[in-house]
Amino acid sequence: MEGQRVSGGGPRRREVRILEDAVELTRAAAAEVTAALALHRDAWLPETASGAASGAASGAAAAPFPSIALAGGSTPRALYRLLADPAAPFRARVDWQAVHFFWGDERHVPPDHPDSNFRMAREAMLDHVQVPAAHVHRIAGEEPDAARAARLYERELIEAFGLRRDRGNGKDAPGDDGAAGDVEAARDAEAAGDAAREWPRFDLVLLGLGEEGHTASLFPGSPLLADEQRGPRRLAAAVWVEKLHTWRITLTPPVLDHATTVIFLVSGAAKAAALAAVLEGEWQPEIYPAQVVAPVDGRLLWLVDRAAAAQLRSSS
């Protein structure tokens, strides 16, 4: 069944597609994932090599490989299993040897911990397909200092996407290595004309929605929501989540907003109130953090099932 489509306008342009149930949602998501990764492949074909310029106007740098930032949660888990299923049609549509995998956020736990987003994606998908180890860019949640884990992940993004490195986002803290190298690399980048390449441009970012409106590890009241335009230009940050009494490591809102495609996956009646508030409520991103996701020059797609969409006025 083709999902119902609901259009949005204004500063929060988006497409909302309502699917009958979680099974339909998962299949629609798998089709979107394979299409987004194929678009990158086509853009980088020699005769149409326009990928290098993608996102240039917004200061984002596309990489010469398909890139996806994965989400945690039960709905993404079903998607990953379907993508890797040899009996399903989607596995053959992905060039697993070419894609680079990143994460939108991670818990402050080791990679083998039951709560690890990396572990979930590995067990559901990555262990079952042929992905080079060098193409898996996980967040080092096992680092005792969550802030250092965020800095290491930012450095990984800078290297992978070829970004400028004098971003004003703080070089590593005293005692960390690499600060001097970053300054030297920044000078080299400027000399090469790369001064605008400040943000990574993921081909695809997958996100979920919490029952209180959070996404990635951007929770209500997070300072990243209030300071995203005023503070240091960080790619990743460690955030303390008071309600969970734990640290998380997350991509920052500007990184999410520079993606080519962002897809939210929302399933179940428990998400209905939050979904209605995020999509149709007053603009309050510090209360409903998912509202902050608004791609600069990309596509924003919400895939939701009927249970989650039950309180949307525009779906009736």
Side-chain angles (χ1 to χ4, degrees):
M1 177 187 298
E2 177 66 20
Q4 178 181 350
R5 297 171 188 261
V6 179
S7 297
R12 291 179 284 166
R13 295 190 310 273
R14 76 228 169 201
E15 176 188 349
V16 181
R17 193 184 309 169
I18 301 175
L19 289 307
E20 191 62 33
D21 54 28
V23 174
E24 264 198 36
L25 188 158
T26 301
R27 293 190 66 83
E32 290 288 347
V33 168
T34 57
L37 296 177
L39 280 175
H40 178 102
R41 177 200 63 204
D42 294 343
W44 283 88
L45 290 174
E47 62 270 21
T48 60
S50 59
S54 178
S58 62
F65 48 74
S67 59
I68 181 172
L70 302 175
S74 58
T75 304
R77 180 188 288 112
L79 167 62
Y80 303 154
R81 287 173 174 166
L82 181 60
L83 287 169
D85 185 353
F90 306 104
R91 176 171 171 148
R93 300 176 190 173
V94 177
D95 185 351
W96 298 101
Q97 293 284 325
V99 178
H100 284 237
F101 295 87
F102 299 80
W103 274 259
D105 73 319
E106 184 57 277
R107 282 77 180 273
H108 193 207
V109 297
D112 58 351
H113 192 280
D115 292 339
S116 167
N117 287 341
F118 164 76
R119 175 177 170 172
M120 184 274 281
R122 178 180 59 78
E123 292 180 345
M125 178 174 62
L126 298 177
D127 279 351
H128 308 286
V129 292
Q130 298 297 315
V131 176
H135 293 188
V136 178
H137 307 268
R138 71 176 183 87
I139 299 170
E142 72 275 19
E143 280 286 335
D145 181 359
R148 175 169 168 76
R151 291 194 298 270
L152 291 173
Y153 193 48
E154 178 165 275
R155 190 180 301 174
E156 181 97 356
L157 292 169
I158 289 170
E159 294 289 346
F161 284 86
L163 306 179
R164 64 178 292 189
R165 303 180 72 162
D166 63 331
R167 313 178 68 259
N169 58 350
K171 302 173 170 69
D172 288 341
D176 281 349
D177 57 354
D182 283 357
V183 172
E184 183 177 352
R187 292 173 181 154
D188 292 343
E190 288 176 357
D194 290 338
R197 297 162 65 87
E198 294 186 287
W199 304 103
R201 185 164 176 83
F202 287 103
D203 291 297
L204 178 60
V205 171
L206 296 175
L207 294 172
L209 179 70
E211 294 181 18
E212 81 288 67
H214 88 267
T215 192
S217 283
L218 303 170
F219 285 81
S222 170
L224 294 178
L225 302 169
D227 298 336
E228 60 165 346
Q229 300 300 329
R230 301 191 298 274
R233 294 189 150 195
R234 291 174 289 180
L235 304 181
V239 291
W240 174 255
V241 183
E242 182 60 33
K243 67 173 288 188
L244 302 176
H245 301 287
T246 188
W247 287 96
R248 295 278 189 94
I249 301 96
T250 186
L251 293 179
T252 59
V255 174
L256 304 178
D257 285 346
H258 281 84
T260 300
T261 300
V262 177
I263 300 178
F264 277 89
L265 308 175
V266 189
S267 177
K271 307 291 181 68
L275 183 66
V278 169
L279 293 183
E280 298 179 343
E282 183 180 349
W283 176 248
Q284 297 177 296
E286 292 183 36
I287 299 176
Y288 301 108
Q291 290 183 330
V292 82
V293 181
V296 175
D297 57 358
R299 179 188 183 208
L300 176 58
L301 172 63
W302 289 78
L303 295 178
V304 306
D305 65 13
R306 290 203 177 277
Q311 296 186 33
L312 292 179
R313 297 187 300 273
S314 54
S315 68
S316 58

